[in-house]
Amino acid sequence: MMLLEVCIGDEYRGTCPPNAILLGVLGRARYKSVEDLNTVQYLLLDRTVHGSSTALGKTSMREVSKVALTGPKKQASTVKVLDFLLAEVTVLLHELENAQLMPDSVNVIITVCIVSYSALGHPHAQSFRRYGELQSTTHKLATLLFSQVRSSSKRTMLLDGVFLSFATVTPSIAELLSGKRLILSGIVCLMRVVDLEFWRELCAHDNAETQSDKEVEEMSDGDFRPQASNGKNKSLLITFSHNAAAAMSDSMTFRRSLAAKFCFVSSSEDQSDQHHPCPAISRTFVEYITSLSPSFFICCRHFLRDLFDSEVSIGTEDATALLLYLQSILRPYTLERSELAMGTSLDVMIGLVDLWTDPDSGDLSEAAMEVYAWFVTLAVEMGRASPHVLVCLSILLQRLIRKSPDFGTSLDISSARTQLFKVLGQGNLDVKFYVGNNLSEIFGLFVLSEHEGILGDVLATLPAAANWLDGIALRLHVLCCLAQSWPTLLRRCVYHIYEIPHAVPAASGHAQWCLTQVSKSLHLHDSQALFRLFAPQILYTWLEAETVTSIAFSIFGYDSLKSLLLDVQDEVVGQIVMRQKEEQGSQLARQLERPLDHIIQESIGKAVGYSIAQDIDSPPSRNTQALGAEASLRKMLGKEIYTALVIADFHNVLLTIFRTMADERSVERVFESHPSYLNANKKYQEMKTISSSAEILPANQQPLFRARHLLDEITHVCRRTNQEAENVWTPFLYVYLFRGLLNTLHPALGSQHA
């Protein structure tokens, strides 16, 4: 085809990536390694790429020629090519009429037929004076080819040649029926030469041959070794692997999938148009596919996936027939534990999910519900599902959750969301990684206020055992994915990632990798910027029960704990003083190698702001002799030094108080309760009329203090500096505070934070 298009003068658009693959042991191992490449590299923290991540059979297009002829030259070239093809087709037809078809000749004849049919579809071919002769000769050659295959005593060998020839050039169904390339029209034309009766005869012949196949134990996959068969019919099984990965590329499924594709293309003739290139699934084809034995049907899994991925349409009655047929597949003892049978059934359920979830679909919905109930009750609850089946089931559950998160409750079984979390909890590492990578999509189906609760459900199903490093790595990976996807989950996920290395030091490398990925997704300079963004919350939660020296620094890219403490010194000092943790203060001084009082003086703004807010929001008990946080700070520094420092850093003290105010809506009531702020209340009401929102926003980072004490805190600071609270609002202070509040807005925190 490359030579044909170049000779005709068309621009060569590349080869079509083949859709069917036939692999041996090494090929399957390679396929599996490519499939698991990202997971393995993450677990091993291997940043090098060993081999291509391109899936087998998905080769990139090769552009060979961009030279295009126009006008008379192009037409003349087309005529010469068609003359050559006519001569070749005529010679092959004569040879085939006078000799027995040999396996070596199959590929040659099929190649010539495809090229000839493709050339006949060229716009300039109609002007070829021997167009009709080439068309009829090509059709005779193709018809004779399949006729001899049908009647030959070597039919199996000849069919293998047919399948292998088509497999190298046949793309996906969507691509095949799009007609975007000359070669595609040629492939379709040749496929339609073979009628459905040919394939029905083939199936009947194969059914007869499989009656004497090997015993069930020789064919079942290790995970599905049956118990006593109790006289069940074993003839349903044929000699193919029940392991999905192996069966997807063995010879039996290879033949059956291509045969089914032949049948579909033959039955879809003249149904497509330019607006809907993929035709509807015909009743004839549904009757054919449901007439197959269960074993042959599940061998068509690769084709069925391709079929539903191509966005073909199907009638309700035909879809009902398919789902009723699925029930017959899952009933026999010999197939009820087959990974391939369950995976194929789930693929069909996923492909038809938009139809059977329609409440008005009647019998279709009823048939689908029976299959769905079987999977969630028997396959999952009773442990019959392999990891591969659980992955397929998770895909179906996610599709159902998009329709309705509570789907399934009408059947007296758990909701689709609950079932998905069960799959996440029960599955092995492969299942957990797959489901975890896609969990972020689930959160998009719920209102933002429910995200915290759903995150709790997710965390309860993720591995938490400290002695299972791979499981902990998975937990970190899921938290990383959620933090990258949802600002509502960012703060909690970052903290959970931070705390894990303390309990599992061996997971520090994975935690560092995850925090780096989160930083990149938020367009931060590095993970240290991420730490600075969430330092208030991380330190507030961590220092409540842990020591300063236990703060994890390497996972954020710091060379030492001292570097981290210097980077967020104000925050560390403020929280230690607020909590009056003397031991933590001593640890800080030792780490920074300086006297504690000198360190506090450098960070006096936050130290005083936090202390005053803490004392007023949660005053010390009157029954104790304990001093408040501010009183302890004044005692440590001395009254004169303390007062001088507060006066010098007055603006930062107020800024700290404003930044840590929680539930700003209660400020209105605060203004109303203070007569001296009536004018401020009036202006506040005017601003609300311009723009305001009644939506409840997520809480800010801790520490946070109740807004109803705002004016009391301001008044307290002013008394310490011998000022009147009503007279301190100079333009400089107002602008400074306003800019300071605006600086708390950050794109990484999401729009709700703003």
Side-chain angles (χ1 to χ4, degrees):
M1 281 309 301
M2 178 184 73
L3 290 174
L4 172 68
E5 293 189 346
V6 170
C7 291
I8 289 176
D10 283 348
E11 179 181 339
Y12 179 63
R13 301 181 183 179
T15 56
C16 302
N19 184 251
I21 51 177
L22 180 59
L23 304 174
V25 176
L26 291 179
R28 287 195 290 268
R30 166 66 174 158
Y31 189 90
K32 181 64 175 173
S33 68
V34 169
E35 194 176 53
D36 297 337
L37 181 63
N38 291 334
T39 301
V40 172
Q41 284 187 321
Y42 167 69
L43 290 176
L44 298 178
L45 294 177
D46 182 7
R47 292 168 177 80
T48 60
V49 179
H50 299 292
S52 171
S53 60
T54 304
L56 295 177
K58 301 294 183 182
T59 54
S60 58
M61 290 189 181
R62 212 170 27 122
E63 299 208 356
V64 176
S65 173
K66 294 187 177 180
V67 178
L69 300 178
T70 58
K73 289 184 178 181
K74 186 170 186 176
Q75 187 167 355
S77 297
T78 304
V79 170
K80 290 179 181 179
V81 169
L82 294 176
D83 271 327
F84 171 77
L85 285 173
L86 178 58
E88 290 296 315
V89 171
T90 303
V91 170
L92 285 173
L93 177 61
H94 178 73
E95 291 178 353
L96 191 59
E97 288 174 337
N98 295 282
Q100 187 177 5
L101 179 64
M102 300 301 292
D104 294 343
S105 305
V106 172
N107 182 259
V108 175
I109 297 174
I110 287 177
T111 301
V112 172
C113 286
I114 290 175
V115 173
S116 182
Y117 276 124
S118 301
L120 287 168
H122 193 275
H124 288 171
Q126 296 286 346
S127 60
F128 180 47
R129 59 186 176 84
R130 303 178 70 182
Y131 176 87
E133 183 180 353
L134 177 59
Q135 186 179 44
S136 62
T137 306
T138 303
H139 186 70
K140 287 179 183 178
L141 178 61
T143 303
L144 183 58
L145 167 69
F146 289 107
S147 176
Q148 291 205 18
V149 170
R150 194 174 199 167
S151 59
S152 175
S153 59
K154 300 178 181 179
R155 182 167 68 172
T156 302
M157 294 178 61
L158 296 176
L159 274 173
D160 285 344
V162 171
F163 289 141
L164 288 170
S165 299
F166 274 94
T168 57
V169 295
T170 306
S172 65
I173 290 176
E175 177 105 16
L176 181 63
L177 298 178
S178 67
K180 293 179 180 179
R181 297 184 179 90
L182 276 181
I183 190 174
L184 299 178
S185 61
I187 295 170
V188 170
C189 287
L190 184 56
M191 280 184 163
R192 286 175 175 165
V193 170
V194 191
D195 57 15
L196 284 175
E197 190 59 34
F198 176 86
W199 302 111
R200 289 194 181 100
E201 288 182 12
L202 177 65
C203 285
H205 177 268
D206 289 346
N207 262 325
E209 287 187 347
T210 57
Q211 297 304 316
S212 58
D213 274 342
K214 298 178 181 179
E215 291 295 322
V216 177
E217 288 80 5
E218 297 177 8
M219 299 166 283
S220 296
D221 179 72
D223 292 335
F224 291 93
R225 290 174 183 168
Q227 300 171 359
S229 62
N230 299 322
K232 303 281 185 179
N233 180 18
K234 298 179 182 180
S235 64
L236 287 170
L237 283 177
I238 55 177
T239 52
F240 67 91
S241 174
H242 281 251
N243 176 272
M248 285 295 285
S249 58
D250 71 12
S251 58
M252 180 59 69
T253 56
F254 174 77
R255 295 187 190 103
R256 286 295 150 207
S257 287
L258 274 174
K261 183 173 288 190
F262 266 93
C263 296
F264 174 74
V265 173
S266 298
S267 64
S268 64
E269 189 170 7
D270 299 328
Q271 293 185 35
S272 60
D273 56 53
Q274 60 180 355
H275 300 294
H276 302 283
C278 287
I281 300 176
S282 67
R283 177 67 55 83
T284 305
F285 175 74
V286 173
E287 291 174 351
Y288 163 78
I289 202 75
T290 54
S291 68
L292 300 176
S293 67
S295 297
F296 286 158
F297 180 86
I298 63 179
C299 282
C300 298
R301 184 186 185 188
H302 187 73
F303 161 76
L304 291 169
R305 277 187 169 182
D306 184 20
L307 180 67
F308 291 115
D309 286 345
S310 65
E311 299 182 355
V312 295
S313 59
I314 185 172
T316 303
E317 292 184 10
D318 294 330
T320 304
L322 269 176
L323 292 179
L324 289 173
Y325 183 73
L326 290 186
Q327 297 179 15
S328 68
I329 290 179
L330 297 173
R331 286 193 190 108
Y333 175 83
T334 48
L335 291 178
E336 68 176 357
R337 295 174 183 268
S338 167
E339 183 178 73
L340 186 58
M342 287 192 279
T344 305
S345 301
L346 285 168
D347 288 343
V348 176
M349 290 283 286
I350 294 167
L352 301 176
V353 67
D354 291 333
L355 290 176
W356 60 265
T357 51
D358 184 351
D360 300 325
S361 57
D363 293 340
L364 173 61
S365 178
E366 184 177 344
M369 289 299 186
E370 289 188 24
V371 178
Y372 175 73
W374 186 92
F375 273 105
V376 298
T377 56
L378 297 179
V380 178
E381 300 294 344
M382 297 180 63
R384 294 182 182 178
S386 70
H388 174 78
V389 173
L390 290 177
V391 168
C392 295
L393 181 59
S394 73
I395 297 173
L396 175 62
L397 291 171
Q398 289 183 65
R399 294 285 297 275
L400 292 174
I401 292 173
R402 293 191 190 104
K403 297 287 182 181
S404 172
D406 296 325
F407 184 89
T409 52
S410 60
L411 300 175
D412 294 330
I413 56 179
S414 304
S415 67
R417 170 182 153 189
T418 302
Q419 292 294 339
L420 182 64
F421 290 154
K422 284 184 180 179
V423 170
L424 177 62
Q426 294 177 10
N428 69 356
L429 204 60
D430 287 336
V431 177
K432 293 180 188 295
F433 262 99
Y434 184 87
V435 177
N437 278 330
N438 295 280
L439 271 180
S440 59
E441 298 179 9
I442 303 300
F443 285 83
L445 306 173
F446 298 89
V447 295
L448 300 180
S449 59
E450 295 185 25
H451 282 195
E452 288 277 340
I454 301 173
L455 178 60
D457 294 338
V458 171
L459 292 175
T461 59
L462 292 176
N467 59 351
W468 186 21
L469 182 57
D470 287 348
I472 295 298
L474 164 71
R475 186 181 185 91
L476 289 166
H477 183 69
V478 173
L479 290 169
C480 174
C481 293
L482 295 178
Q484 290 175 291
S485 303
W486 292 102
T488 49
L489 306 174
L490 179 59
R491 179 179 55 174
R492 277 193 64 185
C493 288
V494 168
Y495 183 78
H496 286 308
I497 294 174
Y498 162 81
E499 68 178 349
I500 286 175
H502 179 71
V504 189
S508 297
H510 294 92
Q512 183 176 5
W513 184 90
C514 290
L515 292 172
T516 300
Q517 297 307 307
V518 173
S519 303
K520 290 179 179 178
S521 70
L522 299 177
H523 306 291
L524 299 174
H525 183 263
D526 53 22
S527 52
Q528 293 182 15
L530 180 67
F531 177 72
R532 287 191 291 271
L533 189 62
F534 289 102
Q537 182 66 68
I538 292 174
L539 294 172
Y540 181 83
T541 307
W542 187 253
L543 294 179
E544 184 175 4
E546 302 294 339
T547 64
V548 171
T549 54
S550 65
I551 297 175
F553 58 88
S554 61
I555 61 174
F556 286 104
Y558 290 98
D559 296 331
S560 63
L561 177 58
K562 181 178 180 180
S563 299
L564 180 146
L565 295 174
L566 288 173
D567 200 13
V568 291
Q569 177 179 313
D570 288 353
E571 192 64 44
V572 177
V573 170
Q575 296 202 26
I576 290 176
V577 171
M578 174 187 72
R579 285 193 168 121
Q580 304 181 64
K581 296 289 186 82
E582 295 183 4
E583 179 57 32
Q584 290 182 353
S586 300
Q587 294 171 356
L588 177 63
R590 287 194 296 270
Q591 289 294 325
L592 298 185
E593 300 174 336
R594 296 163 57 201
L596 180 60
D597 57 340
H598 290 184
I599 297 172
I600 293 176
Q601 290 180 35
E602 293 175 355
S603 306
I604 195 65
K606 279 202 173 180
V608 174
Y610 280 170
S611 299
I612 292 176
Q614 173 71 16
D615 288 347
I616 295 178
D617 192 74
S618 302
S621 174
R622 295 180 179 179
N623 298 327
T624 65
Q625 300 296 321
L627 297 175
E630 190 212 6
S632 298
L633 181 59
R634 289 177 67 194
K635 181 179 180 181
M636 176 188 295
L637 298 177
K639 182 177 179 180
E640 293 183 0
I641 295 177
Y642 174 82
T643 302
L645 290 171
V646 173
I647 293 174
D649 214 17
F650 178 74
H651 52 288
N652 279 324
V653 175
L654 287 184
L655 179 58
T656 300
I657 290 173
F658 273 96
R659 279 183 171 178
T660 56
M661 178 175 57
D663 191 17
E664 296 88 344
R665 293 173 300 169
S666 60
V667 170
E668 185 175 350
R669 295 193 298 270
V670 175
F671 285 151
E672 293 173 352
S673 62
H674 288 72
S676 58
Y677 285 90
L678 291 178
N679 187 51
N681 187 34
K682 180 180 177 181
K683 298 299 181 183
Y684 178 72
Q685 297 300 332
E686 291 178 3
M687 287 189 287
K688 284 182 62 178
T689 59
I690 297 173
S691 177
S692 64
S693 174
E695 183 179 356
I696 300 176
L697 299 177
N700 206 340
Q701 295 189 61
Q702 293 172 299
L704 290 174
F705 308 100
R706 287 172 288 185
R708 68 181 185 180
H709 299 303
L710 175 65
L711 298 183
D712 294 333
E713 292 163 3
I714 295 173
T715 301
H716 186 94
V717 177
C718 290
R719 282 204 302 267
R720 290 286 184 247
T721 58
N722 298 317
Q723 302 180 77
E724 294 293 334
E726 295 82 359
N727 300 326
V728 299
W729 300 103
T730 63
F732 163 78
L733 182 60
Y734 175 82
V735 171
Y736 183 84
L737 295 178
F738 187 70
R739 284 183 173 176
L741 292 174
L742 289 178
N743 287 338
T744 62
L745 306 181
H746 197 290
L749 298 174
S751 58
Q752 278 207 320
H753 177 79

